[in-house]
Structures are given as C-alpha cells and as structure tokens.
Amino acid sequence: MGNGFDIRLETLVNPGAPALDAVATGRGAGIPADVAGRGTFFLETFGCQMNEHDSEKVAGLLVARGYQQVETAEAASLILYNTCSIREKAAQKVFSRLGEYRGLNTGEKKIAVLGCVAQQEGEDIFTRAPWVSLVCGSASYRKLPQLLAQVEAGEQRVAGLDNDTDETFETEITRRDNPWRAYITIIEGCDKACAYCVVPFTRGPERSRDSARILQELKQLADFGYSEVQFLGQTVNSYLDPSPSKMKFSELLIEAAAVPGIRRVRFTTSHPRDFSPDIIAAMDADPAICNHVHLPVQSGSTRVLREMQRTYSRAEYLEKIALIRSAKRRTAITTDVIVGFPGETTADFDETLSLLDEVTYDGVFSFKYSPRPNTPASSLADAVSEEEKSRRLALLQEKQRAIQSGTLQSLLGERFEVHVDGKSKKENAWYGHSSCNRVVSFTSVNPQLLGEYVQVSISGCTANSLLGEHIL
Ligand code: SF4
C-alpha cells in the first residue's frame, strides 16, 4: 500500500540549481568535441529506485557520448526502455509498449530494451520485436559503451545478457533528476535467493563498489550542492568493501555523514539477516544518518518465511526490530509484505497480522503473491485463490491504515526538521521530508523555501502525511 513515505521525482520543482545543471548536461565534464551531437535519446523507466538510478547513470553515459536527452519518444533518435519484472505479466506489458514504439519507428530510430525484462526474455525479444536493436540486462550495463558503439555502427541485434560478473556499473557522469537527493548504488545484485524473487537472476551476484570510489562520488555531489544522499542496494547492508580498507557498511555511513555539506544519509533496502548493532550505533553517533529503516519482513509466519527461504524466523526478525527500537532517536520502520504465498494458511496470515500489531510499522508496502519466471517458488502449487489473496490484502491494508493513523496522531505537537521539496498549489503551502522520511505539508509566510531545511511544528495529519506550520 502507498504510505506517504517518499515522493515522486516528477513532482519536484527544479530550482535551477547550477549544480544540477552541471551534472545533468555534463558541462565541465570534458565531453570530447568529436562525439558532440550524436543524436537524441528518450529514456522511459519502470520499477524501483535501483532502476531509476540505473537510468540516471545510463543517461549520463549517453550525455557523455554526445547524445542530448529529449522529452518525447517521437523526438528521439534512440529510445531506451528500462524495464522491471516485479509487476505481474511484466513481459506482456513490455511487448505491448514495444509495439507502440514500433508505430513511431520510421526506420531511423533505434530502440533498446534494458533492465530486468531484457535479462529475463533475452534474445527472444529480437524474435518477437525485430525492430529492437539492443537488449541489455542490468548486470551488463558496464558494457553499454561497447554495445552502443555496435548499435551506432549499424549492427541490428546487439545483446548484453551475461549475469555472472564481479564488476559494477561505473560512469563518469550521472544525469540526476533530483536537485537535492542523490542516489548512489553501493552494492549491485543479490546472493540471498528468496524463493519468489527474480533479482538474483536478473541482476546477478552481489558485488560491492570500492568505498573510496563511493566517497569520492559523494564528495563531488556535495561540491555540486547536494545535501542528501541515499545509498542503494537490493541488500544495502550486506555491503562488503572490495578494497584493502575493508570498510564496514556502518563505517561507510559514518564517513558519508562526515562529508562537509551532506546533511542526510539514507540507505535502502536492508536485509534483516545482515542488520547488525553497529548500524544502530552509527545512527546514534551521527544524526546525519537518517532515522528510517526499511526492513522487509514478507511474512509473520516462520513456516512461510522458511518456504520463502528468507534466512530468518519471526523471532529473529523481531530481535532486529528490538535493536532498531533501542536507538536513541525514534526510528521509523517500514516493510514489505507478500500475502498468499503458496501454502500460506489463514493461521499463517493471522501471524502476519499480529506482527503488524507487534511492530507498529510506519509504512507497509503490501503485495499479492504471483509467480515470477525462473524462480523456485514458480513451481510450487499455488494453493491460495486470487479471491482469498485479495481478501487478505484488504484486511492487511485496513489494519495498517488504523496503525498508521494512531502513529501519526501521536506525533501531533512534535517538531520535525523538514527538507523543503516543493511548493503546493495552495497559497503559503509547502511540502517536504523529515529525516525519518515522512511527508510533511506545512504553511509558511516565507516566500522562498525550496531546497531549505526548516523546523515545522506538527498540528494535524492526513491518512499518510503530517501537517504543520513553519517555526520562524
Ligand atoms: S533479498 Fe530476496 S527479495 Fe531481496 S533482492 Fe535478494 S532475493 Fe530478492
């Protein structure tokens, strides 16, 4: 369910910060004159923050090659479609979109399919959609410069589909859309092999980036004027520094928080098994490390967790929650839940409901189970009917709504530091994020607050967000 945590990038107003301009266009990044004016590209992205950030890197790479980004597929000489296979019938939806792109193709345009569906469907895409020139899975992005060169040279079917690599995707320029919050991928792929998940197949094995390189990128972002960074990884806290310094994840957080100009350091998504006390110690030591943890549980039943191959029991998960609750600051906890996993009984589901009561999450992203190709769970008999899955999902969401409402009410009268992300349509009204990643809407007589950090006193709430007034 949607929960008021986080906002859509499209809603942001670009204040015209010179920093963004420089990063976006690659100005000052030394684009060689001989590649300038290579063509135009349109990049459409579906999926998670990892996909969004991959697209930012791909866009940076194209800008560095002399391409110019345009707003519509019609205006582009190269159309790239970064796909996600989390959604049900993902491949079907991708082929239908590719059909629309075909209608635009006058023979001049090149079309590329990137991301998880590219990896999943592979070269079959060329058979079903022969107007596609390039298919590249996420684990092969490091090869994109060579693959693009082949497409530019006129090759018809270019593919990057290996997913067994220990290399990460590094770019000289990243074309970021958000002028304040920058994503940095610190670990790619996943080794956890949850029974329902395609990620280990589509994104390859876990491989971490060199800590010095991450911190160098972060310092550069701070110089550009970014004040908030979000470390990304499918299992971000499983980070293992490959460099001789062997920096731990918690040490990386502390180093990042100490970079001058950086006010907030976030990280997502954490895996419960690797959530260790030193992460909480780091959050306690430096308040610049945000007090929000996204810790997917998936089910409250140990039996189902075992079937899902989640590597922890309900009791072990609750120990991690107790650890987070022991932090000095009240830390927001959000989670993901799957209902109707094959074999989930009503008793199992009741355990998930009781877990919600026990943890009192600040937000829950909940989904009905549906099988994904190439996953171990896809061969399990799907014992739970669609109707029953929908009933369970509705029950779970109703319970979570009540829990969230109680939590938000309990925050009335408190004060939050809010980063101002945008101006509302109403007069004197603004919105932004707290460190714990709550959306806060507030009023202020100040005519210009965009991008600033302000103190807000909370006086009300909606179902998903807090309302308040700017403390002057
Ligand atoms: S931890 Fe499990 S759910 Fe998360 S990306 Fe890895 S395999 Fe998928």
Side-chain angles (χ1 to χ4, degrees):
M1 69 188 286
N3 58 15
F5 272 76
D6 222 337
I7 53 165
R8 292 169 59 80
L9 290 180
E10 301 80 17
T11 64
L12 289 166
V13 182
N14 178 0
L20 174 69
D21 205 28
V23 179
T25 61
R27 260 208 322 264
I31 297 172
D34 58 335
V35 299
R38 215 169 218 151
T40 51
F41 73 96
F42 172 74
L43 177 49
E44 184 174 26
T45 306
F46 282 92
C48 61
Q49 289 158 324
M50 294 283 290
N51 257 20
E52 275 177 23
H53 184 46
D54 283 344
S55 284
E56 291 179 337
K57 287 173 147 182
V58 170
L61 197 146
L62 288 162
V63 166
R65 286 184 79 76
Y67 285 86
Q68 193 193 339
Q69 189 160 13
V70 290
E71 295 293 316
T72 64
E74 286 82 352
S77 59
L78 172 64
I79 300 173
L80 304 108
Y81 186 24
N82 190 359
T83 60
C84 165
S85 52
I86 291 295
R87 295 184 311 166
E88 206 177 354
K89 303 196 179 87
Q92 227 168 294
K93 286 171 184 157
V94 166
F95 283 111
S96 132
R97 194 85 177 115
L98 289 176
E100 290 167 31
Y101 285 148
R102 181 194 200 179
L104 299 175
N105 203 346
T106 53
E108 299 298 313
K109 291 185 199 296
K110 302 281 184 195
I111 298 175
V113 184
L114 313 177
C116 293
V117 176
Q119 185 69 45
Q120 194 177 289
E121 299 298 308
E123 302 212 13
D124 286 354
I125 293 176
F126 295 131
T127 312
R128 289 182 63 184
W131 54 95
V132 169
S133 307
L134 171 65
V135 173
C136 182
S138 342
S140 297
Y141 285 156
R142 70 198 187 286
K143 292 185 180 161
L144 259 182
Q146 299 99 283
L147 301 173
L148 284 166
Q150 287 172 253
V151 172
E152 287 156 4
E155 282 189 42
Q156 290 301 316
R157 295 179 163 202
V158 179
L161 292 167
D162 58 328
N163 66 352
D164 186 17
T165 176
D166 56 3
E167 289 179 58
T168 50
F169 181 30
E170 306 291 339
T171 53
E172 291 300 320
I173 307 173
T174 298
R175 192 218 166 284
R176 292 183 159 87
D177 287 327
N178 185 317
W180 306 286
R181 181 191 288 195
Y183 295 134
I184 299 184
T185 298
I186 65 164
I187 174 170
E188 296 178 15
C190 182
D191 285 345
K192 304 292 189 291
C194 301
Y196 52 83
C197 182
V198 289
V199 166
F201 175 72
T202 57
R203 289 187 169 267
E206 268 173 20
R207 49 214 190 271
S208 299
R209 293 177 66 208
D210 191 310
S211 56
R213 192 146 191 173
I214 294 168
L215 291 168
Q216 184 193 17
E217 188 177 347
L218 180 52
K219 283 175 190 143
Q220 206 176 25
L221 287 166
D223 289 345
F224 276 137
Y226 285 88
S227 58
E228 182 171 324
V229 66
Q230 182 158 355
F231 285 157
L232 295 181
Q234 303 289 343
T235 53
V236 73
N237 58 326
S238 306
Y239 176 78
L240 276 181
D241 185 4
S243 76
S245 63
K246 296 275 169 251
M247 198 176 276
K248 286 163 70 176
F249 175 64
S250 55
E251 292 166 342
L252 184 66
L253 290 176
I254 287 178
E255 289 287 325
V259 170
I262 295 297
R263 296 261 308 241
R264 289 181 176 175
V265 180
R266 301 186 183 281
F267 54 96
T268 198
T269 295
S270 295
H271 191 282
R273 193 192 70 186
D274 296 334
F275 203 91
S276 46
D278 54 315
I279 301 173
I280 293 299
M283 290 165 73
D284 282 346
D286 195 331
I289 304 170
C290 293
N291 52 338
H292 170 220
V293 177
H294 184 66
L295 200 69
V297 66
Q298 309 301 4
S299 170
S301 153
T302 296
R303 198 192 65 76
V304 174
L305 288 171
R306 207 166 42 233
E307 292 293 310
M308 290 177 164
Q309 299 172 30
R310 283 293 288 176
T311 72
Y312 52 83
S313 64
R314 174 189 174 108
E316 284 163 340
Y317 180 86
L318 285 170
E319 281 171 22
K320 305 293 180 173
I321 295 294
L323 173 65
I324 299 169
R325 293 276 183 243
S326 74
K328 284 186 194 155
R329 286 172 294 165
R330 188 195 183 282
T331 298
I333 306 176
T334 52
T335 199
D336 298 332
V337 173
I338 296 171
V339 300
F341 188 76
E344 182 190 73
T345 63
T346 48
D348 291 322
F349 176 64
D350 285 346
E351 287 198 65
T352 300
L353 290 181
S354 75
L355 187 89
L356 258 53
D357 280 326
E358 204 165 335
V359 179
T360 61
Y361 289 107
D362 298 275
V364 174
F365 297 86
S366 50
F367 310 90
K368 285 192 280 184
Y369 171 78
S370 63
R372 292 291 176 268
N374 305 307
T375 58
S378 62
S379 57
L380 296 174
D382 196 354
V384 185
S385 69
E386 273 309 301
E387 197 187 354
E388 178 60 12
K389 283 181 199 169
S390 300
R391 190 188 74 82
R392 290 181 193 179
L393 188 68
L395 273 175
L396 183 130
Q397 293 184 343
E398 193 185 320
K399 175 173 276 297
Q400 180 56 25
R401 261 193 297 275
I403 291 170
Q404 262 174 243
S405 164
T407 307
L408 291 173
Q409 292 286 344
S410 75
L411 297 173
L412 303 196
E414 291 206 9
R415 158 199 282 239
F416 284 86
E417 183 196 71
V418 174
H419 176 267
V420 185
D421 299 320
K423 172 98 183 66
S424 299
K425 285 194 187 120
K426 284 190 219 148
E427 209 183 335
N428 299 333
W430 302 84
Y431 59 86
H433 277 78
S434 63
S435 166
C436 59
N437 219 22
R438 293 182 189 286
V439 175
V440 182
S441 299
F442 64 96
T443 53
S444 174
V445 290
N446 197 320
Q448 176 48 284
L449 291 175
L450 213 51
E452 292 191 17
Y453 290 86
V454 298
Q455 294 293 322
V456 173
S457 157
I458 303 303
S459 53
C461 61
T462 65
N464 291 315
S465 64
L466 294 168
L467 307 172
E469 290 87 41
H470 182 191
I471 303 171
L472 291 164

